[in-house]
Structures are given as structure tokens and as C-alpha cells.
Amino acid sequence: MTLALGRGTGPLRGLRVVEIAGIGPGPHACMLLADLGADVIRIERPGGPVLSLEDPRHDIALRGRPRVTLDLKAPDAVDTVLSLVERADVLVEGGRPGVAERLGIGPDECMARNPRLVYGRITGWGQSGPLAARAGHDLNYTAVAGTLHGLGQDRSKPHFPSNLLGDFGGGSTYLVIGVLAALVERGASGRGQVVDAAIVDGVAHLNAMTSSFLAAGMHTERRGENILDGGLPNYDVYETADGEHMAVGALEPKFFEEFTRLLGIESPKAAPGGAAAPGKLRAEIAARFRERTRDEWSEVFAGSDACVTPVMRLSEAPAHPHVAERGVFVQRDGVTQPAPAPRFSRTTASLSTPPSEPGENTVEALTAWGIDDAESLVASGAAVPAAR
């Protein structure tokens, strides 16, 4: 496979990133950096990630960068990482606090080699605090941040959007924001720094609007009774005749009037407001939606400002007319996947290399980054090529 090292087309072209392999938000953050043009080299342990797909070429989060296997128990492998750091702008790692230090690739060691390095750390709990050393997952971080409690419409328990909110919303997104902010600051100071991105911090920050509603007395802390959690019949999801669903977001009066007109029901004088909106209107809306299929209702609301859209399955979404025209999804080697985002007027981002096998690029990538003795590292066992 020919590597597109340093040839990214996005605005981060020329930025060099060392990724110490982890799972979840770390790989997603490095996918985003690679999508935007950064030259990322991924360093993995022998045997690959703890969690991996049976066919690694389906692992979209690993696209856009080579996979190098180093045994970090070997001193030569650790020195190789530090040599890569000397050439890098950014390092990203997602181990528990203290793990990188024990391996000899913590911030002190790395920044002694490269004082301009931005050292990005992504964890669930952060580098400090009573829970910092504890295991956890997306569900735990969103729970402690006060965000999970309000999710869903089920009065008996919260519901959660898989791991989108914590790992990727409050995790990888905030890590990338932090890394880019530190790079901007480095332009003025000439110095790198450590970015402590904690999912619990990011999720709390994402939930700022709910904090505002709570402070203003507009949030009940009871699920299904608030403006954006289904407490209003004009901001909810309704089942259609074929068992599919339509999403209704007609909050503002003018949108609500358009919604009721196209739905074919008598419009109240104003859009419902406040918590615990009348059940009669909700029942009437639900009954009307059950009279036609999702696609039929999509035609009814097409081109309107009623704020009503079909709920698409992931497998269907690429074919939706708007999604298709914008090219939100692309196909690469038979795999449908999201295109790079966001978009830029001059430095357009594009996909480079597809996901590869663990260790497939060990020698080639190390050599491209200026490590002259890659073959000897393989011979000593410090570096491990892909099993053939």
C-alpha cells in the first residue's frame, strides 16, 4: 500500500501527530485530525487494539494513517517513540493517568525532547480527582456529569444515545478543540503544553443550555416534561403507518402553524409552551401520523418550513436527497462512511488511505518519519510488522 504521508489536502496539511493507540475517543480524534490533512502515525501494541473489528478494513475510525506496531516494553521501542516525538507537533494518548509515564513516554520525557509539543490526553475522568484512576465508560461519565439523568422520555429511567454523547461529543471533539487551541497559542509563545481532555468535563460543557434552563426555572429535572425532551407535542417523534417515524421540531409559532396546516389538524391559537403540554393535541398529532407511511408524510412536508423530517435508518441515510447531494457519506473500498467534516472553501479535506492491518505499515511509516533503523527494530523485536 502506498502511504499518503504528509500529503493531506485539508487545512492541517503539514501537521505531524503521533497517536498512541487506544479505543473510543482517541482514535476518533485522530481520524478527525487525519481527515483534515494532518500526517498521523498510529503506534499500537503487538496484537493490535483490545477492541477491534474482525475485518480491520471496516474500522472507519482508523482511516487516514499508517498503523505501526511497537513493543513499548522494549527500550528501543520507547526511544523510537521519543524520536518520533522530536519530529511531531502533537502527541495523543488515552491511557489511564500514569500509564504513559510508566512506559517512559509521559509529558516530561516527550517535552524534554520537543518543548513545542502539544501533548493531548483523553480520559473519562481526567488526570486528577477522586475517580481519575478508576475504570469507566461513556455511560459512567455522562451519569456523574448530570447529563444522563435528563435523557429520554421514560419516567422510570434515563435512556442514552449509545456512546455518541460521551466518547465522541464530550471526548474526542473537546480533545481536538484543545489541541488546536494549544497549537494556536504555541504560535505566539513558541511553547507546547499538556491538554487534559476529560469526557466528564466535555459532557458538562455540552450541557450548558440545560444548565441555563435549570437556573432560569425552565427545567423540571423530570424526563418528558421539558421543552426539548418531548414535553411539548410539537417537539417529539411520532410513529407512522408503516412502523417508521417522523421527527417534529415545530417550536416557533410560524413553524407550528405550517406544521398543523400540512398535517391537516386544527391549529391552536399559539404553539404550545411550557412543561407538560396538553395530551389532547399530542394524541391528535399521533393519530394523524399513523394514517400514512413515513415516505408519504415526507412528501407532504417536503419543501416546507414545518420542521418535520423522516427518521432515517443509518443504512438509508446516504440515499436521502439532501444527504446525497451534499455527499455527507462516501464509499471507499466498498465501505460506506461519513465524509470528512467540516468543509473549507480553499483547503478541501478528502479521504487519504483506508484502514489497514495492525502493523501493516510498521517499516514504511517509521522510515517515512525519518527513523533510519526500522529494519533493525524489527529484527530485535522492538517493532513488529503485520503477520502475513
Side-chain angles (χ1 to χ4, degrees):
M1 172 175 120
T2 301
L3 296 179
L5 295 173
R7 300 177 193 165
T9 62
L12 298 185
R13 178 184 171 90
L15 188 76
R16 287 193 149 195
V17 180
V18 175
E19 174 190 4
I20 307 301
I23 61 173
H28 187 264
C30 289
M31 179 193 78
L32 177 53
L33 294 171
D35 281 356
L36 298 184
D39 180 358
V40 183
I41 184 169
R42 177 177 165 90
I43 308 300
E44 297 181 336
R45 70 182 74 186
V50 176
L51 297 175
S52 59
L53 301 180
E54 184 175 346
D55 184 346
R57 296 187 185 277
H58 291 162
D59 201 338
I60 294 167
L62 301 187
R63 72 189 185 191
R65 67 260 199 207
R67 300 177 70 177
V68 171
T69 300
L70 294 176
D71 183 357
L72 294 181
K73 296 177 182 178
D76 286 349
V78 172
D79 193 61
T80 298
V81 172
L82 295 176
S83 295
L84 294 171
V85 162
E86 291 177 359
R87 300 156 168 80
D89 299 287
V90 178
L91 179 141
V92 170
E93 67 93 8
R96 291 199 209 186
V99 171
E101 285 83 351
R102 289 196 294 274
L103 290 171
I105 56 172
D108 290 346
E109 295 87 351
C110 288
M111 298 178 84
R113 294 284 192 106
N114 181 358
R116 290 175 54 83
L117 183 74
V118 172
Y119 194 107
R121 318 194 82 167
I122 177 66
T123 58
W125 303 116
Q127 299 297 313
S128 62
L131 294 176
R134 302 298 181 205
H137 280 294
D138 181 294
L139 198 60
N140 307 115
Y141 315 134
T142 57
V144 169
T147 302
L148 176 62
H149 180 272
L151 297 182
Q153 298 170 269
D154 189 337
R155 304 294 172 87
S156 65
K157 70 173 186 177
H159 288 237
F160 51 95
S162 62
N163 65 335
L164 294 176
L165 178 58
D167 281 352
F168 306 128
S172 60
T173 301
Y174 278 82
L175 173 62
V176 171
I177 291 170
V179 164
L180 296 180
L183 288 169
V184 171
E185 192 280 337
R186 186 184 75 174
S189 69
R191 300 168 57 197
Q193 60 182 304
V194 177
V195 178
D196 174 7
I199 294 173
V200 67
D201 298 350
V203 168
H205 196 268
L206 279 174
N207 206 29
M209 187 168 70
T210 307
S211 295
S212 298
F213 288 162
L214 183 63
M218 297 170 58
H219 186 72
T220 68
E221 293 198 300
R222 294 188 296 274
R223 289 179 294 280
E225 292 189 8
N226 300 285
I227 296 173
L228 301 177
D229 67 1
L232 299 180
N234 50 317
Y235 199 88
D236 207 343
V237 175
Y238 291 93
E239 186 175 4
T240 55
D242 53 351
E244 301 293 340
H245 294 84
M246 297 293 289
V248 176
L251 281 176
E252 294 82 354
K254 62 180 180 180
F255 301 150
F256 178 71
E257 184 178 350
E258 177 78 347
F259 162 60
T260 54
R261 182 182 69 81
L262 291 172
L263 188 66
I265 63 174
E266 184 178 351
S267 178
K269 293 182 180 180
K280 181 180 178 183
L281 177 59
R282 186 186 303 277
E284 188 176 2
I285 293 172
R288 283 290 290 149
F289 271 118
R290 284 194 294 268
E291 292 177 5
R292 301 186 188 182
T293 67
R294 183 193 66 180
D295 291 348
E296 289 171 337
W297 281 119
S298 297
E299 287 294 324
V300 170
F301 289 101
S304 76
D305 275 347
C307 302
V308 179
T309 51
V311 177
M312 308 298 292
R313 299 168 188 262
L314 179 57
S315 58
E316 300 173 312
H320 184 279
H322 182 83
V323 174
E325 183 173 324
R326 282 187 61 83
V328 175
F329 292 88
V330 295
Q331 274 228 348
R332 167 64 68 85
D333 299 322
V335 178
T336 301
Q337 54 195 284
R343 304 176 189 212
F344 301 86
S345 62
R346 290 188 297 103
T347 53
T348 303
S350 60
L351 295 185
S352 56
T353 55
S356 57
E357 300 276 351
E360 180 176 334
N361 319 118
T362 295
V363 172
E364 186 180 4
L366 291 176
T367 301
W369 270 60
I371 304 299
D372 296 328
D373 57 347
E375 293 286 0
S376 64
L377 290 169
V378 172
S380 71
V384 184
R388 299 299 180 185

